[in-house]
Amino acid sequence: MTSAQKTSARVNAAPAETPTFPLNAWYAAAWSHEIEHALAPRTICGKEIVLYRRTDGAVAALENACWHRLLPLSLGWLQGDEVVCGYHGLVFDAGGRCTHMPAQETINPSACVRTYPVIERHRLVWIWPGDPALADPAEMPDFHWNDGTEWIGEGGTYYGLRCDYRLIVDNLMDLTHETYVHAGSIGHDAITAASFDVTHTDRTATVTRWMLGIDPPPFWARNLGKPGLVDRWQIITFQAPSVVVGDVGVAPVGTGAQQGDRSQGVNGCFLAAITPATATTCHYFWNFVRTFKKDDEALTRSINLAHVNAEGKGLYDQDVTVLEAQQRAIETHPRLPFYNLNIDAGALWARRMIDRLLADEAQRSAPAAAAE
């Protein structure tokens, strides 16, 4: 390409959208129990992917487009551990290699579809949508609270939530919204009145808030089952780029919870693995787990329904209403940046880490782009 052609190409090219999510990261794609020996399509970070469980129990993840005419492979079917395209019958193995073409014996060696690294851990299936050579299992987010052993709880997923995944991160890193969005359950004026600390590492940011000697909000009063004032804690940790874990609970006032003795209180964790689908939609894998009344299955079910229920009035349903309305407002009245308050300190650290990952990814890909 001549210099003039390059200049023309730059002028005529549509402006590239600024990426909002890094590709080189592990993202939750499904609960383990959702992936069976059947084709399950997902959109992960703008990639169309089809998942299925092989007969040996491992999960395969392939690009959801046939090499031949791009029909989604999820419209085909499984033949053993291979995927048969529902259009012309091309067959692809779990490694993405074509093993059968109709009406010809010689298979084009370039006939393959992309595969994605997969790890199944903490009751979830995680996918690495970026460069497979960089898919390091050591970079898996810590989500051990979801294992179903020490902590008990049953969660769920909002698939195709209509908002930028970062809005959920913002929401969870600033729990003052509970006072207004979740009044009547976990909201409390003390949340907005209490001071908080923000700490960080290279890949995490943590917001710590203690509310000492307050009356407990309804949810915690009911589960503590003891009269009187309480000490309440909220310790929220973000793991870049999109996992948030909230250590929350209450204990009778002055019983040492802040010093580390929670034995007289009740402790829970909210878990959020947020996966971008597109720039303005995401999948929200959530759970609320606890260490109290672990054998009470009715309580497990009750807490699950309190978060998401058919009437759309659950705790997280309330968040979804706000988040999707916020996304619509952003699209109607675009302006950047947001105005920030002191309460946004944790969210700002999270966004800073996401931006750094994006910058690193752009820098890594820059030499290849310059060579074109």
Side-chain angles (χ1 to χ4, degrees), residues 141-294:
D142 183 6
F143 218 59
H144 74 272
W145 301 268
N146 200 48
D147 288 346
T149 52
E150 183 182 359
W151 299 75
I152 298 300
E154 292 298 329
T157 309
Y158 288 95
Y159 283 112
L161 185 60
R162 295 186 294 274
C163 73
D164 183 327
Y165 77 104
R166 295 173 299 179
L167 297 185
I168 302 178
V169 174
D170 293 347
N171 171 281
L172 296 174
M173 292 301 287
D174 168 27
L175 295 186
T176 59
H177 78 271
E178 289 183 352
T179 306
Y180 308 98
V181 178
H182 308 306
S185 55
I186 57 175
H188 196 293
D189 288 340
I191 302 174
T192 59
S195 60
F196 60 91
D197 295 318
V198 180
T199 56
H200 67 91
T201 67
D202 287 345
R203 294 293 293 262
T204 67
T206 300
V207 178
T208 301
R209 177 185 283 108
W210 281 90
M211 294 152 278
L212 305 177
I214 66 169
D215 56 300
F219 172 83
W220 288 114
R222 187 166 56 252
N223 286 295
L224 180 62
K226 300 175 183 177
L229 301 179
V230 299
D231 295 334
R232 182 183 185 186
W233 65 90
Q234 294 175 333
I235 303 170
I236 318 304
T237 299
F238 166 79
Q239 301 176 57
S242 60
V243 165
V244 181
V245 175
D247 171 6
V248 293
V250 299
V253 63
T255 55
Q258 191 174 20
Q259 291 71 40
D261 179 7
R262 300 177 179 178
S263 60
Q264 297 188 52
V266 283
N267 198 175
C269 265
F270 67 76
L271 310 175
I274 311 151
T275 300
T278 67
T280 56
T281 61
C282 61
H283 313 307
Y284 179 9
F285 298 85
W286 62 268
N287 201 352
F288 183 88
V289 295
R290 67 186 193 278
T291 54
F292 58 91
K293 302 178 183 175
K294 293 170 60 174

